[in-house]
Amino acid sequence: MATSRVVLRPTGLGARGMLLFAVLELAFLATSYNNLFFLMLAFSIALGALGALWAWRNVHGIEVARLELRAAAVGQRREAYVQLRTKRRSAGLRPRPRFGIAAQLDTGQGYVEAAWFALLEGQAECRGELPPQERGVCDLKRIRIATDYPFGLIRARIDVACDAECITYPDPQIAQLAHGTPRPLEQNSGNSPGGAGRSTTLAGLRAYRTGDSIGDIHWRATARRGRPIIKEREAEQDQEVPVVVDRRCSSEELETALSAATAQVLAARDRGRIRLVSQGCELLVDAERGGAPEALRWLAAARVLPTSDPSPQSSTAAPTHRYEAAATPSRLTVESKA
Amino acid sequence: MNDRLHPLLVALALIDLAFVQATDAVASASLAPLWVFTLASIRLRRLQRFRSYRIIWNGAVLIVFSLLVHHATTTGLLHMLEDGLILSVLCQVHLINNIGDKQRPDLTFFNSFLIAFVTSFFASNALWSILFVAHAFVFVPALQVYALTARDQAVDSRIWRATLRDSLPRTLAIAFATALAFAFWPRDFERKGWLASQMAFGQQLQVGLSQRIELEQNAPTRLSNAIVMRIEPQGSQLSSVPTHWRSSVFSRFDGSTWLPQQAADLGSRFASDSQWQRQADGTWRRAARGAPHTTLQVQQFDASSGTMLLPMQAVNMRPKELGGRLLNPKSYAGFHTVLLDAETATALRYEVDLAQPKPTHALTPAAVTHFASLPEQSMPQLARDMSARFRAQYPKDVDALTYAHALTAWLQSNRRYQLPGQPGFARNLGEFLLGSAAGHCEYFATTLALLLRCEGIPCRLVGGYLVQEPSEDGLAMIARERNAHAWVEMLSSDGTWHTFDATPSAELDSQTSGASWWDSVNGSLQTLWAKISGFDGKGRSELLQSLATLPIRRPLGTAAAALTIALAVCWRRQRRRRTMRGQSESSIVRLQRALQRLQLELRPGETPREILRRLPAETEPSLAAELREAAAAHERQRYRPNSTY
């Protein structure tokens, strides 16, 4: 989308100023000509006209250098990083400073202010916060640059092209609140009977990460290196847990299932590996190789499917772990076989 | 409201108080508390969070408002202006003392503009224009700072200073645009307005002499250029010709009309001036101090007024050609002419010798009382108030002459001149006394006479002609019908009559010669003010012609001005380029300054980002923001050296 033209509108102060001017103008026409009366009206007109011109100049020529929006859960505020720059006037000259620039984003629910620049000289960045949004993926093709500067009488705005996405994924807490805290996926210990357990084969040593079991600490290596060291099992490295989401359900059930899947994706982002499977979707989320942003994006955009659609299919072997999500296991199934 | 904005609003309020003070409609004692509260608002505003403080302020404003309304409605319309102005500045002072942090100061701006607007109608000197310029240089930056701080976000000092610097060229641009519009916008200077045209009188009055002076004649005037008299000095310069030539004298004022001086009022024909005595050779003579120093040949073409025009200094008069008229000397040392045969009437020709007349010895107490009398029933109270206020500025033993000079100068500076029927002309004496409308010479003379008489100083009104224009041949001075004029003669204790002309254009020229530098500056300002307030189509044509011929009349000055402007533009561009090149040094300096303010030190090998990570949580947000910006600027310069940003 190309940059639109600058649009000028009076602010509240400007509207009241115009009303006052109209009253004075009527009084001027009703009475005999007076030089000082004309001088005051001329001053008012100069103030308003030049104010509009300068407001136009204040936003004209602003470009979006960068726009980044961090993905956030439903109900959470998110950080926005906006970098604006002004076009060069002529070679070697300092760019004209701009004051009071607001950057607004259209997230589908109206324009929301993402950042505010008190002074923009050449290039400047600002971090702001956007209010909570509904679940979904919103394509941001334009950012609105607005200003009331210099006199607060006229608001000038211009829509500048940009390319960004606003991803709002499901709230991972919903499933917990609705159906209790799901049991986390357990690693294969190898010693646990009947199914889920952990491998006994030592694959290597690695630094301790939050969430590791105290029982896996290699004490001798820890003493030698002076920091906690964990015994890494072979099965941990190879273990991949499929998370299957069947979207042939009602919207409320889907939201619950997506919430639970989001919790797994967020957990796998730090540790472990999961394969997110649904109709038309198969994504691997791995702590080392990534994949979480794509998965969160898919979770943000997922929609209900009709019951006539086929069931989710996975390209990998049969899953190796069972995960009992809650009261509706039929809609979020993580199946595993020992 | 942001704390950065408050000082500018205080400055606005101070200028608004100055506007009101400049109108002279409000006593200084009434404004003194408002001045004090305005200056104290910087401290007092901190108490705004206390409810009791707000209750006290609101209660006080309501009480003052009630008193003002009561005063205005019980003392007449003349005090409504004074009370209205007090109320408007009281609102302004109340706002700046009570506005909370979350409230918007929009009303302060509107109120300030309206005060400047309203006082423009009642101010009649250059002081208002100086205040208006100062008001613009505070009003515009205040609006800019308000637009920037309306979000209730902290604005650091760097941005605040940048905003104030940015406001200067904008204010100048607005002032320039206003001046251009004022000078060149086409408009009808004679426009009456659809309200005024409803009340206009049907017929025009011709400017000229009359047997009585009625003040409330508002019909438009027709200015005739017909020459009334020609005065040729014999053996001396044109500058020796007196400027004021008397026709009639008026001594009794009934509130709206001046009536001619009558001997019966004085008790004796000889009671006020030394009288003309006819000599055997036909010459008329009166007592003089010393020998005559100037002789003038006078031709009076228009004697329809029935009077002979003579200056105060005339001590000898030799008729040459009476044009079929008889002369009748009057008690004020003038002559009435009686036309015997209209068919043979011709111009009057006579010779006049000038000297200092000798005071009459027959000045009676009754005459003195008569010349200091005031109308009993219809005397404007405002004139008494004005007189008392003016008198208070001088010591009790100030002599009458000094006082009269001071009053004359004040009237010339503080009241505007306008002809009847023109826009802004006073409908009655009250409007002129108030300063809300302009008046012609009769208003000026009446006001001066009334104010002098309020102090018991005897004086009278004189009608005649103002002689200031040389003839085309350069040998004489002429007076036209449009030069009919009125002024005041004041009687000093030694019986000498002194001429005082309070009408602005008449006395300014004579006073500027030999004046001090301050008088010269003041005079120039007053002249400029008169040109602005009296700007009309003729003035605009003169201005356009002056600008068009400026390069021809002042080639060096024009070239110097153009060169100065070109040099200033080049210097500004060079400065911007130097600033661009200097940004590499300035980013490090800026970072160091930000660290200094936070009392942090850069550890060896530490990057600005690492410093940002170890900023304490309780760091002041504005300082933290400054450090972040400085770090970002330094990074840009360090890692993107080829960027122009």
Side-chain angles (χ1 to χ4, degrees):
Chain A
M1 178 196 163
T3 302
S4 71
R5 287 190 303 177
V6 178
V7 174
L8 299 174
R9 291 272 187 277
T11 61
L13 182 66
R16 276 172 279 162
M18 284 180 182
L19 186 62
L20 175 64
F21 176 78
V23 170
L24 292 179
E25 180 69 26
L26 272 176
F28 177 69
L29 294 173
T31 55
S32 302
Y33 174 81
N34 180 292
N35 270 323
L36 294 183
F37 202 154
F38 181 84
L39 188 70
M40 297 295 293
L41 288 178
F43 175 79
S44 310
I45 292 173
L47 189 71
L50 288 176
L53 173 66
W54 286 326
W56 179 87
R57 282 186 84 210
N58 207 32
V59 293
H60 182 70
I62 292 182
E63 297 170 334
V64 178
R66 229 167 104 196
L67 173 63
E68 287 175 7
L69 295 172
R70 188 172 290 185
V74 171
Q76 276 186 352
R77 300 181 69 84
R78 83 188 63 220
E79 192 181 76
Y81 174 81
V82 182
Q83 194 178 59
L84 299 180
R85 65 169 174 236
T86 56
K87 286 181 187 166
R88 294 171 58 182
R89 295 172 66 198
S90 61
L93 280 186
R94 200 174 104 199
R96 180 163 43 88
R98 317 294 178 96
F99 292 87
I101 302 293
Q104 299 170 339
L105 299 175
D106 183 9
T107 57
Q109 297 156 23
Y111 279 94
V112 173
E113 188 170 296
W116 186 72
F117 300 80
L119 174 61
L120 169 61
E121 265 186 303
Q123 183 164 294
E125 57 253 354
C126 181
R127 290 180 192 277
E129 266 193 357
L130 289 180
Q133 305 288 320
E134 306 254 328
R135 182 177 75 85
V137 176
C138 180
D139 281 333
L140 297 171
K141 293 297 177 194
R142 61 181 180 194
I143 186 170
R144 178 162 287 179
I145 308 295
T147 184
D148 291 348
Y149 196 81
F151 303 136
L153 301 172
I154 301 288
R155 178 165 297 131
R157 67 164 202 254
I158 186 172
D159 291 339
V160 180
C162 68
D163 195 8
E165 273 185 335
C166 179
I167 298 171
T168 310
Y169 52 80
D171 185 1
Q173 307 293 326
I174 290 177
Q176 296 171 9
L177 291 171
H179 305 292
T181 305
R183 282 185 299 147
L185 291 169
E186 291 177 357
Q187 299 303 314
N188 191 344
S189 67
N191 294 326
S192 303
R198 294 188 299 168
S199 167
T200 57
T201 309
L202 189 63
L205 300 176
R206 60 169 174 81
Y208 177 83
R209 288 201 292 251
T210 306
D212 287 339
S213 170
I214 300 294
D216 288 335
I217 291 179
H218 192 293
W219 293 105
R220 194 166 288 179
T222 299
R224 264 202 309 273
R225 298 188 196 185
R227 60 181 189 274
I229 300 296
I230 291 293
K231 291 174 263 188
E232 191 169 19
R233 311 282 175 184
E234 271 188 3
E236 286 176 10
Q237 292 174 336
D238 298 335
Q239 189 173 8
E240 177 187 292
V241 177
V243 174
V244 180
V245 178
D246 190 345
R247 293 186 282 152
R248 296 172 295 176
C249 57
S250 69
S251 56
E252 291 81 14
E253 289 170 334
L254 180 63
E255 291 301 321
T256 307
L258 292 178
S259 169
T262 302
Q264 302 306 325
V265 167
L266 291 175
R269 187 173 56 181
D270 297 326
R271 136 176 199 264
R273 186 193 304 168
I274 64 166
R275 182 174 291 273
L276 179 63
V277 179
S278 182
Q279 288 86 344
C281 164
E282 190 169 353
L283 294 168
L284 185 66
V285 180
D286 191 312
E288 290 180 5
R289 288 186 281 254
E294 292 78 9
L296 289 173
R297 190 183 188 288
W298 183 88
L299 288 166
R303 294 286 174 258
V304 169
L305 290 178
T307 51
S308 57
D309 274 23
S311 61
Q313 299 293 326
S314 171
S315 61
T316 60
T320 58
H321 286 280
R322 174 176 294 281
Y323 170 66
E324 295 179 2
T328 56
S330 61
R331 296 304 174 209
L332 167 61
T333 307
V334 179
E335 298 180 347
S336 66
K337 289 181 183 175
Chain B
M1 186 188 67
N2 196 284
D3 280 343
R4 298 280 188 194
L5 182 59
H6 191 253
L8 290 168
L9 295 183
V10 170
L12 263 185
L14 289 172
I15 295 175
D16 292 334
L17 280 167
F19 272 130
V20 173
Q21 191 95 57
T23 62
D24 282 331
V26 181
S28 298
S30 302
L31 291 177
L34 297 178
W35 282 102
V36 170
F37 277 116
T38 304
L39 291 167
S41 65
I42 297 168
R43 298 282 184 191
L44 288 177
R45 188 173 156 258
R46 294 175 194 177
L47 303 174
Q48 191 269 341
R49 64 181 188 276
F50 297 113
R51 199 172 175 184
S52 52
Y53 174 83
R54 297 196 300 272
I55 290 172
I56 290 170
W57 256 107
N58 293 334
V61 169
L62 280 173
I63 291 169
V64 173
F65 174 72
S66 309
L67 290 172
L68 289 173
V69 168
H70 174 75
H71 185 245
T73 51
T74 54
T75 55
L77 291 176
L78 291 176
H79 286 276
M80 198 165 273
L81 167 68
E82 178 184 348
D83 296 331
L85 287 174
I86 293 176
L87 189 61
S88 63
V89 286
L90 176 65
C91 286
Q92 200 71 332
V93 174
H94 176 249
L95 277 169
I96 63 168
N97 275 285
N98 282 272
I99 192 159
D101 291 336
K102 301 291 179 191
Q103 290 173 303
R104 297 160 63 95
D106 296 5
L107 189 57
T108 315
F109 292 107
F110 285 116
N111 204 20
S112 180
F113 183 80
L114 282 174
I115 289 173
F117 173 73
V118 169
T119 53
S120 70
F121 290 96
F122 305 104
S124 54
N125 56 16
L127 177 60
W128 185 89
S129 58
I130 295 169
L131 287 173
F132 181 63
V133 172
H135 182 260
F137 275 89
V138 175
F139 191 80
V140 172
L143 275 178
Q144 281 188 229
V145 174
Y146 174 51
L148 210 58
T149 57
R151 294 167 164 278
D152 204 24
Q153 292 185 7
V155 174
D156 67 19
S157 56
R158 184 180 73 92
I159 293 174
W160 187 69
R161 282 195 302 270
T163 309
L164 289 181
R165 273 197 306 271
D166 182 61
S167 70
L168 179 61
R170 295 189 199 273
T171 309
L172 290 172
I174 291 173
F176 184 66
T178 305
L180 275 183
F182 182 78
F184 301 114
W185 189 270
R187 56 197 184 271
D188 181 9
F189 292 94
E190 314 298 327
R191 183 178 59 79
K192 289 214 183 317
W194 48 269
L195 267 185
S197 60
Q198 304 287 326
M199 302 186 298
F201 288 95
Q203 55 191 16
Q204 284 187 334
L205 291 179
Q206 176 148 358
V207 168
L209 296 178
S210 52
Q211 291 305 312
R212 48 198 284 158
I213 293 180
E214 294 179 14
L215 289 180
E216 294 179 9
Q217 292 277 2
N218 294 333
T221 51
R222 185 163 55 87
L223 302 175
S224 168
N225 283 323
I227 297 176
V228 171
M229 58 191 281
R230 176 186 163 96
I231 308 138
E232 199 169 322
Q234 301 294 299
S236 55
Q237 304 286 333
L238 288 180
S239 56
S240 64
V241 175
T243 54
H244 292 78
W245 287 68
R246 307 156 86 225
S247 170
S248 308
V249 169
F250 307 88
S251 64
R252 193 152 40 95
F253 184 62
D254 67 1
S256 63
T257 306
W258 283 92
L259 299 169
Q261 176 178 319
Q262 305 278 0
D265 294 328
L266 309 175
S268 162
R269 187 161 67 90
F270 304 94
S272 65
D273 299 78
S274 59
Q275 296 302 302
W276 291 104
Q277 303 289 340
R278 193 167 193 277
Q279 308 301 307
D281 59 355
T283 304
W284 292 84
R285 195 165 285 164
R286 59 184 187 132
R289 286 197 187 108
H293 49 74
T294 306
T295 301
L296 306 173
Q297 294 277 350
V298 182
Q299 267 184 296
Q300 186 173 331
F301 302 105
D302 179 12
S304 56
S305 61
T307 59
M308 177 181 274
L309 299 170
L310 289 170
M312 167 70 83
Q313 302 90 327
V315 293
N316 294 331
M317 193 279 291
R318 288 179 291 279
K320 298 292 184 189
E321 178 58 58
L322 289 179
R325 295 175 179 83
L326 284 179
L327 294 178
N328 180 23
K330 304 302 290 183
S331 62
Y332 54 83
F335 286 98
H336 269 194
T337 58
V338 179
L339 186 61
L340 295 173
D341 185 358
E343 288 182 11
T344 60
T346 58
L348 276 169
R349 284 197 308 113
Y350 47 98
E351 257 183 23
V352 175
D353 293 337
L354 304 181
Q356 179 63 38
K358 201 171 179 184
T360 179
H361 296 289
L363 197 64
T364 61
V368 174
T369 305
H370 172 74
F371 287 119
S373 64
L374 290 166
E376 287 181 6
Q377 288 182 352
S378 47
M379 174 64 184
Q381 178 62 34
L382 188 57
R384 292 192 199 276
D385 293 343
M386 275 176 68
S387 174
R389 216 178 295 158
F390 196 81
R391 188 68 184 83
Q393 299 173 24
Y394 290 87
K396 286 187 182 163
D397 57 352
V398 66
D399 68 289
L401 268 178
T402 306
Y403 187 72
H405 274 299
L407 254 183
T408 305
W410 185 87
L411 278 173
Q412 286 171 353
S413 305
N414 290 278
R415 290 295 178 268
R416 290 170 289 139
Y417 181 84
Q418 187 59 279
L419 283 171
Q422 299 298 316
F425 186 74
R427 287 172 293 182
N428 49 54
L429 183 61
E431 285 189 359
F432 182 77
L433 287 170
L434 211 53
S436 63
H440 60 325
C441 53
E442 290 169 3
Y443 277 91
F444 281 91
T446 301
T447 303
L448 179 60
L450 288 180
L451 294 179
L452 286 173
R453 288 189 177 190
C454 282
E455 294 305 313
I457 299 173
C459 58
R460 62 192 177 188
L461 204 97
V462 180
Y465 284 93
L466 198 61
V467 177
Q468 290 179 315
E469 181 185 350
S471 61
E472 281 187 13
D473 57 13
L475 297 174
M477 298 294 282
I478 58 172
R480 302 179 189 270
E481 278 190 21
R482 62 188 300 147
N483 298 132
H485 195 48
W487 61 92
V488 168
E489 285 177 353
M490 189 206 87
L491 182 64
S492 59
S493 53
D494 64 353
T496 308
W497 287 98
H498 299 268
T499 299
F500 288 92
D501 192 344
T503 309
S505 56
E507 197 140 327
L508 271 176
D509 292 341
S510 61
Q511 281 191 350
T512 50
S513 59
S516 68
W517 69 270
W518 171 245
D519 290 330
S520 303
V521 168
N522 197 27
S524 303
L525 283 174
Q526 298 303 331
T527 307
L528 178 64
W529 171 255
K531 283 185 180 169
I532 292 172
S533 57
F535 192 69
D536 56 7
K538 186 179 167 212
R540 183 166 64 195
S541 306
E542 286 172 3
L543 177 66
L544 283 170
Q545 199 180 4
S546 169
L547 287 172
T549 57
L550 188 65
I552 300 167
R553 290 183 292 112
R554 301 267 190 272
L556 285 178
T558 310
L563 190 62
T564 306
I565 292 169
L567 283 173
V569 169
C570 290
W571 173 77
R572 198 150 178 251
R573 286 179 76 94
Q574 273 303 107
R575 194 162 165 264
R576 280 201 208 140
R577 285 182 206 277
R578 277 202 302 272
T579 310
M580 274 297 298
R581 285 194 292 271
Q583 271 182 352
S584 58
E585 291 86 19
S586 68
S587 69
I588 298 173
V589 169
R590 197 173 145 192
L591 183 64
Q592 285 173 340
R593 207 180 298 133
L595 288 169
Q596 228 172 6
R597 285 208 189 95
L598 284 162
Q599 294 175 346
L600 289 174
E601 276 185 15
L602 202 60
R603 294 171 186 162
E606 191 178 28
T607 65
R609 285 201 187 191
E610 286 168 349
I611 275 220
L612 287 172
R613 275 200 281 272
R614 66 177 174 96
L615 263 184
E618 60 273 9
T619 306
E620 197 184 323
S622 60
L623 293 176
E626 192 183 344
L627 180 63
R628 271 197 293 272
E629 282 174 22
H634 176 69
E635 269 192 11
R636 277 198 302 272
Q637 187 275 324
R638 176 73 178 83
Y639 295 109
R640 290 198 292 268
N642 295 323
S643 168
T644 54
Y645 297 108

